[in-house]
Amino acid sequence: MRSARRRWSVAALLLLGAALYLVHRSREPDARPLPSSRHEASREEAPRRESNERPASAGSTVLAAAIDDLPVIGPSPDDRHHGPAHPHPITQRHVEIQHENGLIGLLNDAMSARNGARMRELVHEYRRTHPGDPNHLQDGYEIIANCLDAPGEASRAAAEGYYAEHRASTVRRFMRRICLEGG
């Protein structure tokens, strides 16, 4: 009976020691540097800007971009880095997506404030900078702006048509609340 307990105690101590060793080893910095060619190539893919802002045009909304001089982590799970780094290169498409998401956020803020005129300005900017709109968000925000500025039969009919046709739209619930329920 005593020898069985002793064996279990020794086994438990060995497991605890192995676990502590693995934890300690994973915290040690890896001294292997990144291959310079991959590191430099990934940094060259990212567009360079002097400031963190998108160039402003007349009447446009200036939104911050996520472009900086941080290194990019390599594609292999064994690629190590020290300090902050991007998990992938920031391309022009990433900047466009961030700008579009920023415009949608500003549109949602204007909608929450019930500011139809501001929504129209932002929809105009949205149409100018992102002409392809496969989800028809621009149309939905414009209909909501019409409901806020000129409530009536025409804006309600447009809202009902949008609500019936675009069943997967993220604007649909706002359309129902603002235009159809009068909230």
Side-chain angles (χ1 to χ4, degrees):
M1 185 80 171
R2 265 187 173 170
S3 63
R5 282 186 189 168
R6 186 174 291 159
R7 278 188 231 134
W8 280 107
S9 298
V10 169
L13 284 174
L14 286 174
L15 286 173
L16 180 62
L20 288 173
Y21 171 76
L22 291 174
V23 168
H24 176 70
R25 183 176 172 196
S26 68
R27 290 186 181 175
E28 288 179 3
D30 191 3
R32 292 181 301 165
L34 284 173
S36 61
S37 61
R38 181 185 301 159
H39 179 67
E40 292 170 5
S42 63
R43 287 179 62 123
E44 290 174 4
E45 289 175 16
R48 300 279 180 145
R49 292 193 192 267
E50 290 300 317
S51 71
N52 285 339
E53 294 180 340
R54 188 175 175 92
S57 60
S60 72
T61 305
V62 178
L63 298 172
I67 298 175
D68 51 24
D69 287 331
L70 292 177
V72 176
I73 299 173
S76 171
D78 296 330
D79 289 338
R80 302 276 185 207
H81 68 282
H82 301 288
H86 290 293
H88 53 78
I90 303 298
T91 64
Q92 186 59 35
R93 181 65 185 135
H94 290 100
V95 174
E96 291 169 4
I97 290 169
Q98 182 183 6
H99 183 258
E100 183 176 10
N101 288 341
L103 282 173
I104 290 171
L106 292 172
L107 277 162
N108 288 337
D109 290 344
M111 182 173 45
S112 295
R114 303 289 198 250
N115 189 344
R118 176 72 176 142
M119 285 183 71
R120 283 189 209 308
E121 291 172 13
L122 292 168
V123 167
H124 176 71
E125 173 74 11
Y126 192 7
R127 287 185 195 277
R128 187 182 66 75
T129 57
H130 304 282
D133 185 22
N135 299 319
H136 304 282
L137 295 178
Q138 297 166 357
D139 297 337
Y141 282 116
E142 190 166 29
I143 291 170
I144 292 172
N146 289 339
C147 290
L148 291 172
D149 285 347
E153 289 302 315
S155 60
R156 182 172 178 84
E160 287 173 350
Y162 185 92
Y163 191 82
E165 185 177 342
H166 302 288
R167 298 180 56 88
S169 174
T170 57
V171 179
R172 191 171 189 254
R173 63 186 170 135
F174 302 118
M175 184 84 58
R176 184 188 71 235
R177 188 177 307 136
I178 293 171
C179 298
L180 303 178
E181 295 175 354

